[in-house]
Amino acid sequence: KPTAHDHLLEIGFGGGNLIKQLTTQGLPNQFTGLELSTEAVRLCKKQYHPLITQGRVTLHTANTTTLPFKPGQFNKICSINALYFWPNPIAVLKECRRVLSPNGTLYICYNTKDLLDMYGFSRIGLRGYSVSQIETLFSESGFNNIQTTSARSLRNGSFYCSYGFAS
């Protein structure tokens, strides 16, 4: 769970659900979002204008394989249901490691390939992964102490969150 002192980057913020959820709790003090969709960025900039004006939220349009941030800029990075769209997940995870501070944490939350296949999302181009594949991606990208937790929701069934620490 984020704290007020975290500098958090969310990759693929989409409609801004996590921005809303965390900032209404006053967490974190600095939230940065990155999104490929210019329309999503435009809508969220409008919706979160007061927080942007206060300097608590910053939103960027950019590609995930070349993050427009300094090395070590964030202590936490998260991505929820976005990795399905990444053409080169190893490159994205290596970029995440680059912009994380030492011992910073990357969290990736997702549904497995089995669920995507069951609902037909693979047929429309979403790339699914098993838990072991995600953990291997973390390892190959230089993360350590990799763990995965799971939970279940009525709406989406089982989902997973894998996380690892930058060295």
Side-chain angles (χ1 to χ4, degrees):
K1 182 174 179 171
T3 68
H5 302 291
D6 287 331
H7 191 175
L8 175 74
L9 168 63
E10 181 183 14
I11 296 176
F13 61 81
N17 293 336
L18 186 63
I19 299 169
K20 181 178 181 179
Q21 184 179 11
L22 293 179
T23 56
T24 56
Q25 299 173 32
L27 304 170
N29 284 338
Q30 294 183 333
F31 186 104
T32 301
L34 181 105
E35 175 62 52
L36 187 59
S37 166
T38 55
E39 183 64 10
V41 173
R42 186 186 69 74
L43 291 171
C44 285
K45 280 185 174 181
K46 183 177 178 181
Q47 181 176 357
Y48 298 108
H49 181 71
L51 292 169
I52 292 168
T53 302
Q54 295 167 16
R56 290 195 52 221
V57 172
T58 307
L59 303 176
H60 300 268
T61 305
N63 188 304
T64 54
T65 55
T66 309
L67 299 177
F69 307 111
K70 298 180 295 192
Q73 187 170 340
F74 303 96
N75 67 321
K76 290 187 178 151
I77 298 176
C78 69
S79 184
I80 302 169
N81 291 326
L83 82 147
Y84 320 123
F85 303 99
W86 299 345
N88 186 346
I90 289 279
V92 176
L93 269 63
K94 284 182 177 180
E95 271 295 278
C96 288
R97 189 172 47 83
R98 181 185 68 79
V99 301
L100 273 170
S101 59
N103 296 313
T105 313
L106 170 64
Y107 301 87
I108 296 184
C109 302
Y110 55 95
N111 293 105
T112 63
K113 180 179 184 335
D114 293 340
L115 186 96
L116 295 178
D117 290 345
M118 184 172 78
Y119 287 110
F121 291 123
S122 321
R123 288 191 306 257
I124 60 169
L126 274 69
R127 184 182 307 165
Y129 302 89
S130 67
V131 170
S132 64
Q133 287 174 312
I134 296 295
E135 291 177 346
T136 298
L137 290 171
F138 269 81
S139 179
E140 290 177 357
S141 302
F143 288 89
N144 56 53
N145 298 323
I146 301 155
Q147 298 179 42
T148 299
T149 61
S150 65
R152 188 163 182 75
S153 77
L154 293 174
R155 182 172 167 225
N156 296 318
S158 294
F159 60 94
Y160 300 86
C161 183
S162 295
Y163 59 98
F165 299 87
S167 13

